[in-house]
Amino acid sequence: MAAVTALRSSCRTAGRLVCIHRVRSCSGIRFIKSKYVCVFDKSALKFSHQQRLFRTSAVSCGQIVQFKLSDIGEGITEVTVKEWYIKEGDSVSQFDSICEVQSDKASVTITSRYDGIIRKLHYNLDEIAYVGKPLVDIEIDASKGVSPEEDVVETPPMSHEEHTHQEIKGHKTLATPAVRRLAMENNIKLSEVVGTGKDNRILKEDILNYLAKQTGAILPPSPKAEIIPPLPKSETVPAAPKDRAHKIPVPISRPIVFSGKDKTEPITGFQKAMVKTMSAALKIPHFGYCDEIDLTQLVQLREELKPLAQIRGVKLSFMPFFIKAASLGLLQYPILNASLDESCQNVTYKASHNIGVAMDTEQGLIVPNVKNVQVSSVFEIASELNRLQSLGSAGQLGTNDLSGGTFTLSNIGTIGGTYAKPVILPPEVAIGALGKIQVLPRFNGKGEVFKAQIMNVSWSADHRIIDGATMARFSNLWKSYLENPASMLLDLK
Amino acid sequence: MVLQASLKNCLQLSCILRTPKVGFRSTTSGSLIIQSTSDDIYQNLAVEDWIHDHMNLENRQVLFLWRNSPAVVIGRHQNPWQECNLRLLRQKNIKLARRRSGGGTVYHDLGNINLTFFTSRKKYERMENLKLVVKALKALRPQLDVHVTDRYDILLDRHYKISGTAAKLGRTTAYHHCTLLCNADKFVLSSVLKSPYKGIKSNATPSVPASVKNLFEEDPSLTCEMLLDAIAEEYATQHQTDHHITLINPADETVLPGINNKTKELQTWEWVYGKTPKFSVSTCFNMVYKDSVLDVKVDMDVKHGKIEVCNIDLPEQWLPPAVCSELVKSLTGSKFCPNETTTVAATLLRVCPQDAELQSRWNLLCENMIMLM
């Protein structure tokens, strides 16, 4: 005991109260070294006069402290400020990152020593900052966080300890100020919470678990990475989530903590492109026409042709067939491959069938097109699709690939779905969405039930120049080509 | 809170690491030598982050050995457009990564080894680490003329740079890492580290170009494995620990919880490109259209990798002013990225008057704009 007091008083003269915590099991005193706080470095000593001033003045709200740039090491005296993580007016907690400075190939993260509000940044970006000189001014909110609960000890302003001690019947509970605040906001006695941190420290997860048990509700999982216990204890891990799943939520009147906030961000890039395109599409009066296609024969054909294409180095999916069949159909119904001008005075029948294929990439929707399908073979279409797909996923499609489309197919079925309501991409006048291929029972000519590979197609067309009959006839033609692939041979050029 | 939980976890990490090792005394003291089983730059950088954030280095030090498949690595505060040929990188499928330490740009491939020295913040000492490397090299091949400069480079034959250094200091821990050229592809190295982009004005840390040489050229019997082994041995001797190299799989969440999130973060556009300090591009180019040559002047301000201000000066009436201003408006706020610009341009083409002449002029302008990115 005596040793403790002596230590405390010597530390006071040095200007800092050192955090000493007692380990319950052992009677010795463990001195926490400068893991968190540099006790005897120069900046602390410089700080000592300000400490003394604090001691004499009463606890007031908002004492401005000048946080000085601490020693970087290797005798470095100046650094360049490269990035600020906070701005004036932001509130910071202890250990939050304040800024990034650079000195001679070393990048240093400066973290806050205090909880408080940033009042002044002493440097702008790319300015030189000096070790030992003030970096930021922080307004310490020492008076804040004092709760009426009797188990919370009021923090004296000079003890910028990393952890606040709570004397509850001689049992010290350790928790950071942020955790204490969370407990206070939810009217929780820290003595009732089981701490799972080092030395039974109470962590934020412990408060949330405590709350979950209170309300019986299942709280949203912590956004931080789940720390998985080491291998020997791994059997307990699957047990925990199971327990949660079996708990029936019984809401009691305790408030549930939800710290999520709405996030607003500007629309740019891919999303902006989509907004523009779809807003323009609104001007087009759409009508829809849907049908189902029996792809049983096509599935078989593709199975036979896949290895042949593989030998030639091309991956053969169903799309090349759909695209070629569409082009054959467009030859009979060229109005579907046309474009209506701005004033709706003229229709331009496009000579080339540049069939667009909707592609889902990491950044969003992109629609490259296969040029001149009317003079391409199924194999050529397949190899071009491969090229577009690999460029698309690498984010390297060129303007030429993305412009000049005259008709579009969207194979949403690869992800899922049956019927859809696709939106026409101006300046085109028609689009088709293909659902997934399902195995369904159907009746054949003899009235017997057989297994059919069924895919649904949903067309949308511009009703200003396309009528329902045209769309239906085109769809029937396309359907007949696909249901009986051999018939495509008759019309191939 | 995460820190405290993972301090508990670092003890568990060392428990796991302890089992295969013979004669490892206690859990929180004694230095450790680890080697990555992966050659993915992002995974390996994530391991560095993980150790920096989660390990207690108060009483121990760690040496991390790693190699990468072809990648260009820029420093924390650098500008990738200024430092390397991004077009070439995309073509050759060479990855681009931004590390968290400072310093300049380097090219990695399997002929280059990387060493990271982890210590507590107080024990951060780069010169010692580099002297250790030189000592190891000299022990392996006494005839090698290698020495450390005061810029923390290692030079071969007093002239050629074989190693570059960078460091990261956090609140309680620090690391110093360096490269070592054993048998890297110098041709690719020099071509990717040459930026073709003109007119960039920026306060980003510039790299200092240097003549490089491979150790292999000096002594063809040297391999990366020999170098790694020699350095590990010297480290083990100096730190009085076993010369046992523990292998680490950077995708293993059980040993390194949270590592996959770190890996993902390092791969995001927001980190690699978005962290570029504010810069401006002021350049002009010629476009050949039919029989005439046109001068185009472009000025752009880029912040967080996104175009804040955009100005395109075209010969009058070459494009309808409405169309041109639409392009400028769409580019503003978009990423300074060819993929995004292509999409934006293609979209605008859809909604403007369908005139073949206009479209071909538009495509030409956009292609040239994309070349700037």
Side-chain angles (χ1 to χ4, degrees):
Chain A
M1 255 310 147
V4 180
T5 355
L7 206 52
R8 277 226 173 105
S9 56
S10 67
C11 290
R12 263 195 210 129
T13 50
R16 309 220 67 170
L17 257 180
V18 176
C19 171
I20 303 165
H21 78 268
R22 197 189 282 167
V23 178
R24 264 198 271 158
S25 51
C26 86
S27 57
I29 301 155
R30 222 200 287 160
F31 194 134
I32 289 187
K33 280 209 188 132
S34 46
K35 181 159 198 1
Y36 297 104
V37 164
C38 276
V39 177
F40 297 117
D41 67 6
K42 295 178 214 146
S43 48
L45 290 173
K46 273 192 198 142
F47 204 71
S48 56
H49 348 283
Q50 278 145 329
Q51 288 279 37
R52 292 216 180 97
L53 284 170
F54 284 172
R55 282 182 66 197
T56 49
S57 63
V59 176
S60 54
C61 56
Q63 196 79 7
I64 306 258
V65 169
Q66 289 196 318
F67 174 43
K68 298 203 169 94
L69 181 60
S70 55
D71 187 29
I72 307 284
E74 289 185 336
I76 292 165
T77 50
E78 47 186 62
V79 295
T80 314
V81 177
K82 280 298 190 179
E83 189 174 339
W84 283 110
Y85 293 124
I86 41 87
K87 52 187 190 300
E88 287 174 14
D90 282 352
S91 61
V92 285
S93 308
Q94 195 181 29
F95 310 144
D96 279 356
S97 297
I98 287 196
C99 65
E100 197 78 20
V101 300
Q102 181 166 260
S103 148
D104 188 27
K105 307 184 193 181
S107 188
V108 191
T109 309
I110 308 291
T111 54
S112 175
R113 207 176 288 159
Y114 316 109
D115 287 346
I117 301 172
I118 304 288
R119 283 299 170 214
K120 182 170 178 196
L121 305 181
H122 285 260
Y123 300 102
N124 290 322
L125 283 178
D126 293 317
E127 277 189 347
I128 306 222
Y130 297 93
V131 172
K133 293 265 168 22
L135 185 66
V136 291
D137 287 349
I138 304 181
E139 184 183 309
I140 312 278
D141 54 354
S143 55
K144 236 178 108 183
V146 175
S147 81
E149 299 242 316
E150 70 275 358
D151 57 353
V152 173
V153 167
E154 189 167 334
T155 350
M158 63 190 143
S159 70
H160 300 300
E161 299 166 351
E162 62 195 87
H163 300 294
T164 319
H165 302 283
Q166 298 181 356
E167 300 258 11
I168 307 134
K169 298 169 194 131
H171 162 71
K172 284 196 170 116
T173 319
L174 300 170
T176 61
V179 171
R180 265 190 46 232
R181 210 172 297 133
L182 185 63
M184 181 191 78
E185 283 167 6
N186 292 286
N187 294 316
I188 296 172
K189 277 192 195 265
L190 283 171
S191 55
E192 289 174 21
V193 181
V194 176
T196 59
K198 189 175 170 189
D199 303 314
N200 296 314
R201 206 153 287 172
I202 296 172
L203 311 174
K204 185 173 164 199
E205 284 83 7
D206 300 326
I207 304 279
L208 293 176
N209 283 333
Y210 180 82
L211 275 171
K213 291 200 189 91
Q214 291 294 320
T215 60
I218 300 162
L219 289 169
S222 163
K224 300 196 187 88
E226 287 277 296
I227 307 288
I228 304 163
L231 297 164
K233 286 198 206 146
S234 61
E235 312 88 56
T236 60
V237 176
K242 258 195 233 153
D243 286 345
R244 282 220 187 135
H246 288 317
K247 231 183 211 155
I248 302 160
V250 176
I252 313 178
S253 58
R254 292 252 191 170
I256 300 172
V257 173
F258 178 62
S259 50
K261 273 198 281 250
D262 290 350
K263 193 168 87 155
T264 307
E265 36 182 51
I267 294 185
T268 56
F270 271 67
Q271 278 186 317
K272 208 172 178 181
M274 205 157 73
V275 168
K276 258 207 169 60
T277 315
M278 300 309 164
S279 302
L282 266 182
K283 298 195 198 108
I284 305 174
H286 286 54
F287 78 90
Y289 177 87
C290 306
D291 204 352
E292 77 169 37
I293 324 278
D294 183 349
L295 293 181
T296 316
Q297 287 192 26
L298 185 65
V299 169
Q300 211 176 332
L301 178 66
R302 178 180 162 254
E303 280 308 305
E304 289 167 28
L305 294 177
K306 226 167 61 168
L308 290 177
Q310 198 65 45
I311 294 168
R312 295 197 218 168
V314 163
K315 196 167 154 238
L316 186 68
S317 62
F318 285 105
M319 275 311 268
F321 297 102
F322 297 152
I323 293 171
K324 188 58 184 172
S327 173
L328 292 175
L330 290 172
L331 286 173
Q332 305 302 320
Y333 299 97
I335 194 157
L336 289 160
N337 196 54
S339 184
L340 191 58
D341 70 1
E342 287 273 299
S343 54
C344 303
Q345 297 285 333
N346 298 301
V347 173
T348 311
Y349 293 87
K350 303 275 175 163
S352 300
H353 296 172
N354 299 336
I355 301 193
V357 178
M359 222 177 255
D360 175 46
T361 63
E362 266 178 14
Q363 290 96 346
L365 171 69
I366 204 165
V367 190
N369 55 82
V370 179
K371 300 271 193 291
N372 292 310
V373 178
Q374 76 279 8
V375 293
S376 304
S377 65
V378 171
F379 178 77
E380 284 165 349
I381 298 168
S383 90
E384 177 65 4
L385 262 185
N386 278 183
R387 183 188 76 89
L388 290 173
Q389 268 155 355
S390 59
L391 282 180
S393 47
Q396 289 175 21
L397 284 166
T399 36
N400 198 37
D401 293 326
L402 291 174
S403 54
T406 58
F407 184 88
T408 302
L409 284 177
S410 169
N411 193 2
I412 191 73
T414 49
I415 300 174
T418 50
Y419 292 106
K421 192 174 178 300
V423 177
I424 301 167
L425 300 169
E428 298 165 21
V429 293
I431 184 170
L434 312 169
K436 64 179 186 282
I437 301 177
Q438 299 170 284
V439 178
L440 293 170
R442 288 287 178 271
F443 287 105
N444 64 10
K446 295 187 220 139
E448 295 160 341
V449 175
F450 73 102
K451 241 166 64 165
Q453 307 265 14
I454 303 290
M455 181 185 77
N456 303 112
V457 61
S458 312
W459 303 104
S460 289
D462 184 341
H463 217 330
R464 294 173 296 183
I465 55 166
I466 315 280
D467 56 35
T470 311
M471 192 71 241
R473 290 193 186 106
F474 167 83
S475 179
N476 287 342
L477 181 57
W478 184 77
K479 174 174 157 146
S480 71
Y481 282 135
L482 292 171
E483 290 191 333
N484 183 11
S487 64
M488 291 213 304
L489 275 171
L490 277 177
D491 296 325
L492 279 175
K493 290 193 202 278
Chain B
M1 269 69 73
V2 174
L3 183 66
Q4 288 150 355
S6 33
L7 274 180
K8 194 166 75 147
N9 210 63
C10 84
L11 290 169
Q12 291 149 2
L13 164 61
S14 38
C15 282
I16 292 159
L17 295 178
R18 182 172 42 150
T19 354
K21 208 165 158 179
V22 171
F24 188 40
R25 274 153 267 124
S26 73
T27 55
T28 50
S29 67
S31 297
L32 203 55
I33 306 176
I34 55 180
Q35 185 166 345
S36 174
T37 57
S38 161
D39 63 10
D40 178 61
I41 180 67
Y42 306 111
Q43 286 187 331
N44 290 327
L45 286 175
V47 173
E48 281 191 328
D49 280 351
W50 193 95
I51 298 176
H52 182 68
D53 290 344
H54 298 325
M55 270 188 96
N56 181 351
L57 297 169
E58 198 56 28
N59 296 312
R60 72 197 309 192
Q61 302 191 3
V62 179
L63 173 66
F64 176 43
L65 308 167
W66 41 300
R67 283 197 283 166
N68 300 309
S69 55
V72 169
V73 186
I74 58 175
R76 174 72 173 79
H77 309 289
Q78 291 203 295
N79 181 328
W81 288 276
Q82 234 179 0
E83 297 298 330
C84 54
N85 189 340
L86 291 174
R87 264 179 257 145
L88 192 60
L89 260 76
R90 288 175 200 128
Q91 256 173 43
K92 283 184 174 281
N93 248 332
I94 296 176
K95 299 181 196 163
L96 176 68
R98 179 186 297 267
R99 54 177 194 264
R100 290 191 196 269
S101 57
T105 304
V106 282
Y107 170 72
H108 289 187
D109 68 16
L110 290 169
N112 168 72
I113 65 173
N114 302 297
L115 318 160
T116 313
F117 298 87
F118 290 93
T119 59
S120 67
R121 172 86 182 248
K122 277 192 296 193
K123 298 214 181 90
Y124 166 69
E125 182 46 82
R126 293 183 282 184
M127 209 40 105
E128 289 300 309
N129 299 333
L130 293 172
K131 288 202 183 125
L132 189 153
V133 175
V134 166
K135 190 156 176 227
L137 290 175
K138 289 221 159 97
L140 189 61
R141 295 283 184 274
Q143 77 278 17
L144 279 176
D145 175 9
V146 284
H147 80 283
V148 187
T149 67
D150 49 16
R151 273 201 80 235
Y152 304 105
D153 291 337
I154 300 182
L155 295 184
L156 177 64
D157 299 334
R158 308 266 133 186
H159 182 66
Y160 298 103
K161 185 168 166 178
I162 57 168
S163 164
T165 267
K168 171 96 189 81
L169 289 88
R171 197 168 48 83
T172 54
T173 55
Y175 63 82
H176 158 220
H177 53 202
C178 60
T179 57
L180 192 60
L181 287 173
C182 177
N183 188 8
D185 189 333
K186 284 204 306 193
F187 178 68
V188 176
L189 187 152
S190 53
S191 55
V192 298
L193 293 184
K194 206 185 302 190
S195 165
Y197 305 104
K198 308 259 176 292
I200 297 182
K201 245 198 282 237
S202 142
N203 279 330
T205 319
S207 291
V208 176
S211 309
V212 295
K213 194 172 182 187
N214 282 307
L215 281 168
F216 176 82
E217 293 171 65
E218 193 71 11
D219 182 343
S221 67
L222 283 173
T223 65
C224 287
E225 286 76 15
M226 290 168 74
L227 293 176
L228 287 169
D229 211 55
I231 293 166
E233 170 141 11
E234 185 59 42
Y235 187 87
T237 312
Q238 286 197 17
H239 289 78
Q240 285 133 23
T241 185
D242 284 341
H243 178 187
H244 173 97
I245 303 178
T246 309
L247 294 176
I248 280 245
N249 174 7
D252 192 347
E253 281 276 339
T254 54
V255 176
L256 307 162
I259 187 88
N260 286 310
N261 277 340
K262 287 193 189 289
T263 309
K264 257 188 241 142
E265 203 203 318
L266 287 164
Q267 292 172 303
T268 61
W269 191 93
E270 282 68 31
W271 173 257
V272 178
Y273 295 95
K275 279 292 181 182
T276 308
K278 184 166 175 177
F279 68 99
S280 67
V281 179
S282 196
T283 182
C284 48
F285 52 82
N286 294 333
M287 292 196 306
V288 178
Y289 185 69
K290 291 193 175 158
D291 290 327
S292 49
V293 177
L294 305 128
D295 282 321
V296 184
K297 192 160 155 2
V298 177
D299 291 284
M300 283 191 277
D301 281 348
V302 182
K303 189 174 170 189
H304 300 313
K306 299 209 171 121
I307 302 171
E308 260 197 339
V309 171
C310 179
N311 200 25
I312 306 175
D313 257 321
L314 279 172
E316 261 200 61
Q317 298 304 320
W318 192 73
L319 270 184
V323 168
C324 197
S325 69
E326 265 302 306
L327 175 64
V328 167
K329 223 168 53 162
S330 299
L331 284 179
T332 310
S334 290
K335 293 182 185 167
F336 187 62
C337 154
N339 194 26
E340 199 144 302
T341 307
T342 311
T343 313
V344 163
T347 306
L348 285 178
L349 209 51
R350 283 185 186 280
V351 300
C352 73
Q354 296 302 299
D355 171 351
E357 171 81 9
L358 174 67
Q359 297 215 346
S360 57
R361 289 185 184 205
W362 174 264
N363 272 335
L364 181 62
L365 175 63
C366 290
E367 300 265 324
N368 277 283
M369 289 294 290
I370 287 159
M371 289 294 273
L372 299 175
M373 307 180 188

